Amino acid sequence: MDRIRIRGGKILNGDIQISGAKNAALPLMIASLLTGKTLTLRNVPRLADVNLLLRILRNHGVDMTVDGKRAGEDGSLGETIHLSAATIADTTAPYELVSRMRASFWVLGPLLARCGEAKVSLPGGCAIGTRPVDLHLMALEQLGGKIDIEAGYVVAKAPNGLKGNRVVFPKVSVGATHNALMASTLAKGETIIENAAQEPEIGDVAACLVKMGAKISGIGSSTLHVEGVDELKGADHSVLADRIETGTYAMAAAITGGEVTLKGARADHLDSMIAALRQAGVRIDVTQSAMRISRNGNRLYPINIETMPYPGFPTDLQAQMMALMTMADGVSTIRETIFENRFMHVQELARLGAEISLSGDTAHVKGVHKLTGAQVMATDLRASVSLVIAALAAEGETVLHRVYHLDRGFERLEAKLQGCGASVERLAAA
Ligand code: EPU
């Protein structure tokens, strides 16, 4: 397995181009199942999760082509993919594929809505928590789906099509909102989705569905109104900028000091993180198409944050913020309210010299004056990148093992950091 070696202590200066958002690209690709026409997606990040989802979609019968390089392109702006599900050849998403990526479970709603049946493996637990799917199933049942669980599979049927209804989520779920929204575009009549997740990635998918002919209002709010249509058409859509990647590089720049411009960043999707970083003493200048992060020798102040559904502080930036706070002047409190087991980075950060104590869902991070390089292990996507952030500030050499976690969600991570002066290199598996 590949490893990444980081020699810490280099100040970051330069520009980083922000990629398309993984968590928008995946549901956008799944939306191709809703139509027989071609969906063109631009700015799709080159990620292991994207490749795995392409395999899953191919298994359902989706044809795909990827544009080659065009004159003047340097490969920094993602790929253009054309997806065409003229006929759905197979409505089963098998365990071998779904168990490797939870988001693939989201094919359930679109397949059921378009084909009247779907059989999708239960995704199972994962490193950050149990992650049930009860809300997905509840929503599809409310839209008239008949759901059974058989031998580890969700078997869903709606032979006469789905019917619009009021879907009230008792708890905010990004994935269940995606599933309900996509399914309801082809349901008969009106669907109202209440307590919907408001993450910008849902807005991006909704905007694409509208281009495909869906009738959706309330986009960006917690109540979505959908008037079902008989069929959707093709569309051309560019994936929005990744706010989690943006936040990650903002924290990398903040921990090393220096000045980094995040090109293409959507600061308007990061209010809670920007407020937290400013409170910590980091300077952030926002322009229409970029964010500049700078810290020039001044101290880092401790902060208190709690993860919350959007527009609250994102759970997907919790580990990175914790890494930054290991170097603050004082004690920070970080509470994780979304996933019950999303603190696996704590032990690994401790290997670099961080002082963190855990009590239930809360971590107390006592800032230290220096971190020291060590061998560390990636446990999940965001946890691994928090170790990269800490390693950039640590004295000496850090080697990060199990890099495949990073490759699931960060496009050209080493190249982007190297471009700002970091000493980061991939050591290929022996
Ligand atoms: N939940 C339920 N029942 C359900 C669904 C969710 O109880 O049927 C619970 C979960 O266990 C969790 C909470 O609701 O405690 C929120 O989970 P949500 O459904 O919102 O998460 P998700 O859709 O599975 C997406 C992102 C995650 C991100 C979360 C929260 C994608 C592909 N995944 O997951 O991203 O952490 O929303 O914002 O969009 C990542 O990119 O590293 C990642 C884990």
Side-chain angles (χ1 to χ4, degrees):
M1 275 185 266
D2 286 2
R3 292 156 297 152
I4 283 184
R5 179 168 63 203
I6 298 175
R7 296 200 172 93
K10 300 262 195 315
I11 286 170
L12 296 187
N13 279 301
D15 295 349
I16 293 178
Q17 176 67 48
I18 297 303
S19 295
K22 166 181 84 80
N23 289 352
L26 299 177
L28 284 165
M29 290 161 65
I30 289 173
S32 69
L33 292 170
L34 289 164
T35 175
K37 300 289 177 335
T38 302
L39 176 63
T40 295
L41 296 175
R42 299 176 194 277
N43 198 29
V44 178
R46 296 170 180 82
L47 299 171
D49 273 9
V50 166
N51 290 335
L52 180 57
L53 183 57
L54 288 175
R55 267 182 67 191
I56 292 168
L57 293 177
R58 262 200 297 269
N59 187 57
H60 293 304
V62 179
D63 293 334
M64 48 195 67
T65 55
V66 182
D67 284 359
K69 191 172 177 171
R70 298 288 184 266
E73 275 181 8
D74 61 1
S76 68
L77 281 179
E79 290 187 311
T80 298
I81 300 183
H82 309 273
L83 300 166
S84 178
T87 43
I88 302 289
D90 191 341
T91 53
T92 299
Y95 173 77
E96 301 73 58
L97 296 174
V98 178
S99 59
R100 292 173 57 190
M101 183 179 54
R102 286 189 59 86
S104 55
F105 184 74
W106 305 351
V107 300
L108 180 65
L111 287 174
L112 179 63
R114 177 151 168 217
C115 308
E117 58 168 44
K119 183 176 171 190
V120 179
S121 170
L122 284 164
C126 79
I128 62 178
T130 48
R131 303 183 80 180
V133 292
D134 54 319
L135 301 173
H136 299 244
L137 304 187
M138 177 212 85
L140 295 175
E141 277 179 334
Q142 279 171 358
L143 295 175
K146 188 180 163 300
I147 312 268
D148 289 301
I149 308 289
E150 289 169 14
Y153 278 78
V154 174
V155 179
K157 294 209 168 78
N160 301 315
L162 294 174
K163 284 198 191 64
N165 197 357
R166 195 162 156 250
V167 176
V168 185
F169 285 117
K171 174 176 183 174
V172 177
S173 160
V174 171
T177 303
H178 278 306
N179 237 328
L181 177 64
M182 288 195 270
S184 63
T185 59
L186 291 179
K188 287 189 193 76
E190 191 190 15
T191 296
I192 302 174
I193 305 172
E194 291 178 34
N195 202 22
Q198 298 173 65
E199 269 65 5
E201 294 75 22
I202 290 174
D204 201 38
V205 172
C208 177
L209 292 169
V210 168
K211 288 182 195 165
M212 293 166 73
K215 295 192 177 143
I216 306 170
S217 60
I219 296 173
S221 78
S222 62
T223 305
L224 296 166
H225 289 258
V226 186
E227 185 63 47
V229 294
D230 289 340
E231 56 180 26
L232 294 176
K233 53 185 192 219
D236 188 319
H237 186 80
S238 184
V239 180
L240 97 167
D242 195 319
R243 65 196 164 98
I244 305 303
E245 189 198 27
T246 306
T248 300
Y249 290 122
M251 292 191 218
I255 202 167
T256 65
E259 192 172 295
V260 172
T261 299
L262 304 173
K263 288 164 63 186
R266 288 284 301 264
D268 55 327
H269 292 159
L270 281 161
D271 286 348
S272 59
M273 183 212 71
I274 291 174
L277 281 185
R278 284 186 173 144
Q279 213 188 331
V282 179
R283 180 166 171 175
I284 301 184
D285 298 297
V286 174
T287 64
Q288 219 181 2
S289 59
M291 264 169 78
R292 192 170 63 237
I293 315 297
S294 39
R295 188 167 75 85
N296 293 312
N298 53 318
R299 61 191 276 225
L300 274 173
Y301 297 90
I303 56 158
N304 300 325
I305 54 158
E306 243 180 55
T307 61
M308 284 288 166
Y310 189 84
F313 192 92
T315 174
D316 289 346
L317 285 173
Q318 177 259 109
Q320 299 90 315
M321 183 53 104
M322 190 180 295
L324 178 62
M325 286 300 105
T326 63
M327 297 288 281
D329 236 344
V331 179
S332 302
T333 305
I334 298 182
R335 184 162 169 248
E336 172 58 54
T337 75
I338 309 288
F339 292 109
E340 70 269 25
N341 189 27
R342 211 175 198 182
F343 280 139
M344 272 109 40
H345 41 286
V346 167
Q347 279 192 336
E348 298 301 301
L349 287 169
R351 294 177 57 76
L352 299 172
E355 289 188 21
I356 306 168
S357 63
L358 279 182
S359 132
D361 63 4
T362 304
H364 298 280
V365 187
K366 183 163 176 277
V368 293
H369 293 298
K370 92 171 182 170
L371 297 172
T372 312
Q375 308 259 340
V376 289
M377 185 83 82
T379 48
D380 72 73
L381 173 58
R382 311 303 176 186
S384 11
V385 87
S386 79
L387 300 171
V388 171
I389 291 173
L392 289 170
E395 272 179 20
E397 186 176 295
T398 295
V399 176
L400 176 65
H401 297 260
R402 299 202 179 157
V403 166
Y404 59 85
H405 287 293
L406 274 181
D407 294 334
R408 290 189 43 214
F410 288 93
E411 187 179 30
R412 299 187 310 114
L413 174 105
E414 305 100 278
K416 289 187 183 193
L417 288 171
Q418 282 159 3
C420 292
S423 169
V424 180
E425 68 183 310
R426 185 174 289 248
L427 309 173

